[in-house]
Amino acid sequence: MPTKITSLTSLGATPADNDVVPIVDVSDTSQAATGTAKKLTVVYFAKTDGSATTVTGGGTISLGGYTVTVPSTGTVAMDGHTHTESDITDLGSYAENINDLGDVTITTPADNEVLAYDGVSAWINQTPAEAGLAEASHTHVEADITDLGSYLTTVAIDDVSDIVITTPADNEVLAYDSGGNWINQTPAEAGLAEASHTHVEADITDLGSYEPALGNPASDGYVLSSTAAGTRSWVANTAATAPTEFRIPLFHPTSTTGVNIATASAAWNSYEGNAFRWNSEMLPSGWSVYLSIWGKLSASVSGQCRVRLYRDGVGEVSSSLAASSNGDAGWNYAESSSFSLVDGADYYLEANETTASSSAYLGTVQLIIRAP
């Protein structure tokens, strides 16, 4: 006779995982339309230690070899649940900021700094350079490229994809051919001029604005002459165009009244500050040397202002030259006869006045180099 489940003896302890309980499998209707009676081991059930009538009342739950202790008050969260930050009561004591970490020290951080180990005990903020790093955009000197030479010595210019070299010759250049390649060409083929080259007159676009084409003169000795309007032409070298003399100032007063050379005596005064050294190259072949003077005395005195050229260590080399005033107080001019000078010798002027008055004035003294 069948026994009711409710009349069976109570187990009285936590069931073992392999204990069996009856169950109706409603998906199996082979026994009846309502299902088929089957058995099931306890391992598929949550078990308590029996200290509470319900799981939420306290105790433990064993399932699949694991035991969960349920508090006597409250509930147990299910797998896959989440929490908000406020549910974590001690979160702030661990890490709200990076500087809260025990081995991190942040000091006045700036843009693009990194966290780098200081080699002792802490991570600190540093610039990439301080941390021994390179920024994304940076440059290098040649010495930093350790295998640069292996490229330059093994790669030929013709290996570059857009360069085509065909039987190169001396002094050719690399020029773009407008078809997408760089090719070797002579300077002329590339539209260039060599360093040493010439032009015809037609190539000089503004030649006419500088000088008309004069060609060569009709014969030797012609000079280039220009009118006031700027028209240039070759002309014969006549007396009108060729210089006949050169004048070299040996003494020139800074005042129009001249320099008073009077000393109340007829003694010669030396003007060595106006010394010069003669160079024979200054004298063209066949030309001669002369001395000229401008001098005056006061209107009440009749006499002469005189100068002579003196060679250092030798003495007078030109006869004394006098400019006579005859009491007219005006400037008078005098010029010596020709004389010779020694190449490389030093010369200076001496001056005096013949009447030993106190009003004799010396003007410009010149050395004249004159054509025959």
Side-chain angles (χ1 to χ4, degrees), residues 55-267:
V55 173
T56 56
T60 60
I61 299 174
S62 295
L63 183 64
Y66 295 94
T67 300
V68 178
T69 301
V70 180
S72 59
T73 59
T75 59
V76 176
M78 299 300 291
D79 184 29
H81 71 284
T82 60
H83 286 276
T84 61
E85 182 180 322
S86 60
D87 294 334
I88 314 302
T89 57
D90 59 349
L91 178 63
S93 64
Y94 290 105
E96 288 186 354
N97 298 299
I98 192 170
N99 204 24
D100 293 333
L101 299 176
D103 58 351
V104 173
T105 300
I106 303 297
T107 306
T108 316
D111 284 352
N112 300 320
E113 286 190 335
V114 298
L115 201 62
Y117 194 65
D118 66 0
V120 180
S121 61
W123 294 81
I124 61 175
N125 57 305
Q126 292 182 321
T127 63
E130 291 171 338
L133 305 173
E135 295 184 4
S137 177
H138 64 279
T139 59
H140 285 275
V141 296
E142 181 181 322
D144 294 335
I145 313 301
T146 57
D147 60 346
L148 180 63
S150 65
Y151 291 103
L152 298 182
T153 58
T154 60
V155 177
I157 192 170
D158 201 18
D159 293 333
V160 180
S161 61
D162 61 348
I163 294 178
V164 178
I165 302 297
T166 306
T167 315
D170 286 351
N171 299 319
E172 286 189 336
V173 298
L174 204 62
Y176 191 67
D177 70 353
S178 75
N181 290 322
W182 294 83
I183 62 174
N184 56 305
Q185 293 183 321
T186 64
E189 291 171 336
L192 305 173
E194 296 186 5
S196 177
H197 64 278
T198 60
H199 286 274
V200 297
E201 182 179 322
D203 293 335
I204 314 301
T205 57
D206 58 348
L207 180 64
S209 64
Y210 290 101
E211 185 67 68
L214 294 176
N216 294 321
S219 61
D220 290 347
Y222 274 48
V223 295
L224 190 62
S225 176
S226 176
T227 65
T231 302
R232 299 170 179 83
S233 62
W234 292 108
V235 297
N237 187 3
T238 64
T241 59
T244 58
E245 70 176 30
F246 301 97
R247 291 179 176 255
I248 304 173
L250 300 180
F251 177 80
H252 187 74
T254 56
S255 171
T256 56
T257 60
V259 174
N260 192 342
I261 60 172
T263 59
S265 72

